[in-house]
Amino acid sequence: MSENSEIGNGFIPSGQLQFGVFFQGVNSGTIWKSQDSGSQTDFETFRTLAQTAERGLFAAFFLGEGLRLREHLGRPHTLDVAGRPDAQTMLAALAAVTTKIGLVATQNTTYNDPAHLAHRLSSLDLLSAGRAAWNVVTTDNAWTGANFRRGGYLDHEDRYTHAEAFVETAKRIWDSWDDDAIADSETAAAWQTPGSVRRVLHDGQHYRVDYTPRLPRSSQYRPVLFQAGDSPEGRDFAARQADVIFSAHPAYDDALTFRRDIVARAVKAGRGANDVQIMPASEFILAATAGEAQEKKAWVRSLQIGPQQALAYLEQFWGRELSSYDPDGPLPEIDPVVAETSETRGSGFHGAKARQLADQWRAEAKDKGLSIRQFVTGKTNRVDATFTGSYTDVADTLARYARTGAVDGFNISPWLVPTGLDDIVNHLVPALQERGVYPTEYAGTTLREHLGLPVPQRSPETIADDGEIRLELAVHQQQL
Ligand SMILES: Cc1cc2nc3c(=O)[nH]c(=O)nc-3n(C[C@H](O)[C@H](O)[C@H](O)COP(=O)(O)O)c2cc1C
């Protein structure tokens, strides 16, 4: 493979793609009114999905995290598919029924503590024999924070400063045991090689930690780090700390632009152009022919956006109940009750200008002759994130991403559980393998090996005379 000059900075496409499955748990996209819908909470659902993904040589099984149930008009949003057991508990159970697939827990830096989370992730990493990863997120709003004793304690602009102190502390905890810390012979004088386990002392703006880590390294050294968060601060944080970004940029041109941006940020941060991999969120609706795939998409969308979902979507912006309106009729003539939208809390619709938006939408729907349901179906159609088509056409499309290095893979949300991955594993994966852009076997046994990630360097540290690791405060903390 040679350099992709379109991306620059010496970036070399790997020519390969990896798949992950993103099990959201709380969402409006998973169909649950089909006769094939399974439970969102039964272990069997998770087991089937993870084992199907493993059959398709997926690198990773991701669990998202939502720290509070979404609310709609001040009440829990009953139309959401909801229910997600604790990620690390679930992944530990999945570790026992899978052998190769990586196990990724989305975990928040705002409401956890580094020593505690690092230990739990180490535990998952050890018991899965080097398959654990952490998807670092910083969701910090006061509404989420109200769930916790620290409700709303962190200024939004500090979320990544705080996250970086967290991640660096965790990395140092994972670095604190030497490789040969545990005696491997029954004739050894002690179970632990003297001096091979160090205390971690950290005294920074966000954390004061005096901790003796309780676990050795795993076979992949330490958990792989994913990051999800798209602000400029989030991107810089990922460029410094992450192995892989779980991005929101799946459309081809957008993916290339994002890659260019991340490569530039990584190089500026002193890392290599290829050091940060990118896997965007995506959805696949596939069939044997393009026509059948379009029909399937119409069916999927009709179940995702039923009459109630269509009205609830508008209610977010109108800030009032609209249940008396006909979902197959025109958009409500009545105006929103608020100037700014009353969002479905936990979703992304922050601060839309509701009146302005209502006028605009009414005009648009009238112009195109769309009913409420048709209009909402169009608005919620994730055009950029959805790959719809025949197995071979979509395989050709993805092969282009691999060739140019626009992405390193895709993190796929199934629209139906637990069977929504079957088409991908049975048909798309073989088509990609034929094109030479998808693995034909797992590269090794650890997630780090599947992704082709190097063994990490030890964190910069100063080892004091007494053998303790004294953490250097990160530069960004000193600047504050
Ligand atoms: C594709 C994608 C998926 C995400 N999934 C989750 C999730 O499951 N749980 C969560 O708390 N945050 C999730 N986030 C991250 C939050 O959006 C992020 O931490 C927050 O928005 C603050 O970061 P930002 O301002 O850089 O976007 C996700 C982000 C992206 C881009």
Side-chain angles (χ1 to χ4, degrees), residues 137-439:
V137 295
T138 62
T139 308
D140 63 287
N141 58 64
W143 175 75
T144 302
N147 270 347
F148 302 93
R149 68 190 155 86
R150 289 171 166 175
Y153 84 109
L154 187 65
D155 284 341
H156 184 66
E157 52 270 24
D158 284 346
R159 67 201 186 287
Y160 282 108
T161 319
H162 182 268
E164 199 140 7
F166 192 123
V167 168
E168 291 193 347
T169 308
K171 282 184 176 174
R172 280 152 171 143
I173 288 169
W174 292 325
D175 287 348
S176 72
W177 284 53
D178 285 344
D179 289 337
D180 57 357
I182 294 191
D184 58 2
S185 143
E186 70 266 19
T187 57
W191 67 269
Q192 181 214 105
T193 317
S196 59
V197 175
R198 298 178 204 83
R199 269 166 77 200
V200 172
L201 293 176
H202 173 70
D203 191 356
Q205 188 199 345
H206 295 286
Y207 299 107
R208 182 173 294 172
V209 174
D210 177 351
Y211 178 65
T212 305
R214 292 170 281 164
L215 284 171
R217 291 178 186 168
S218 75
S219 49
Q220 67 167 351
Y221 187 99
R222 66 185 183 213
V224 170
L225 285 191
F226 285 73
Q227 180 269 359
D230 203 29
S231 60
E233 298 80 19
R235 293 180 184 201
D236 274 335
F237 165 75
R240 286 191 294 269
Q241 300 290 354
D243 298 306
V244 188
I245 296 178
F246 175 21
S247 90
H249 302 277
Y252 184 74
D253 289 341
D254 190 26
L256 267 186
T257 307
F258 184 73
R259 166 73 81 184
R260 218 175 284 126
D261 183 61
I262 293 302
V263 166
R265 288 175 197 267
V267 169
K268 196 166 162 210
R271 296 181 74 193
N274 282 72
D275 282 1
V276 185
Q277 300 191 2
I278 300 171
M279 292 173 78
S282 54
E283 177 192 52
F284 288 80
I285 304 180
L286 308 170
T289 66
E292 284 172 46
Q294 287 302 337
E295 276 173 33
K296 197 176 196 174
K297 183 176 183 175
W299 171 75
V300 170
R301 294 288 183 252
S302 74
L303 290 178
Q304 285 171 327
I305 304 294
Q308 289 168 295
Q309 283 85 359
L311 290 174
Y313 182 82
L314 288 192
E315 283 171 352
Q316 300 177 99
F317 299 94
W318 262 252
R320 63 196 316 161
E321 293 231 15
L322 299 172
S323 53
S324 59
Y325 285 83
D326 177 4
D328 294 317
L331 265 65
E333 278 308 326
I334 194 167
D335 269 333
V337 287
V338 286
E340 303 280 320
T341 181
S342 155
E343 74 207 57
T344 291
R345 305 200 72 164
S347 76
F349 306 106
H350 297 271
K353 298 257 182 292
R355 293 228 169 101
Q356 208 176 308
L357 200 75
D359 285 342
Q360 213 177 300
W361 282 5
R362 276 191 290 249
E364 191 183 327
K366 198 169 170 199
D367 202 40
K368 295 181 181 160
L370 300 176
S371 67
I372 290 178
R373 198 168 163 197
Q374 289 165 328
F375 181 79
V376 173
T377 301
K379 278 284 165 231
T380 52
N381 188 5
R382 296 155 54 209
V383 181
D384 62 331
T386 306
F387 294 85
T388 310
S390 70
Y391 308 122
T392 51
D393 287 352
V394 172
D396 286 339
T397 303
L398 298 198
R400 180 175 176 225
Y401 281 77
R403 263 196 320 276
T404 60
V407 302
D408 295 285
F410 293 88
N411 208 7
I412 302 167
S413 290
W415 39 264
L416 188 61
V417 295
T419 55
L421 292 181
D422 294 1
D423 277 349
I424 296 168
V425 169
N426 295 340
H427 302 288
L428 181 62
V429 162
L432 291 170
Q433 287 168 329
E434 277 168 29
R435 286 157 182 76
V437 297
Y438 192 87

Side-chain angles (χ1 to χ4, degrees), residues 10-71:
F11 173 79
I12 298 171
S14 71
Q16 291 293 303
L17 297 174
Q18 300 284 346
F19 281 165
V21 50
F22 182 49
F23 190 95
Q24 286 170 294
V26 178
N27 69 91
S28 55
T30 306
I31 291 176
W32 57 286
K33 287 198 163 178
S34 157
Q35 57 185 13
D36 296 332
S37 315
S39 158
Q40 288 270 317
T41 50
D42 281 358
F43 179 67
E44 276 309 295
T45 300
F46 291 81
R47 188 185 61 76
T48 305
L49 267 176
Q51 290 180 339
T52 306
E54 191 165 71
R55 184 162 61 78
L57 304 174
F58 278 41
F61 182 89
F62 266 69
L63 285 176
E65 184 183 61
L67 293 171
R68 189 163 173 176
L69 270 187
R70 294 205 315 150
E71 285 173 14

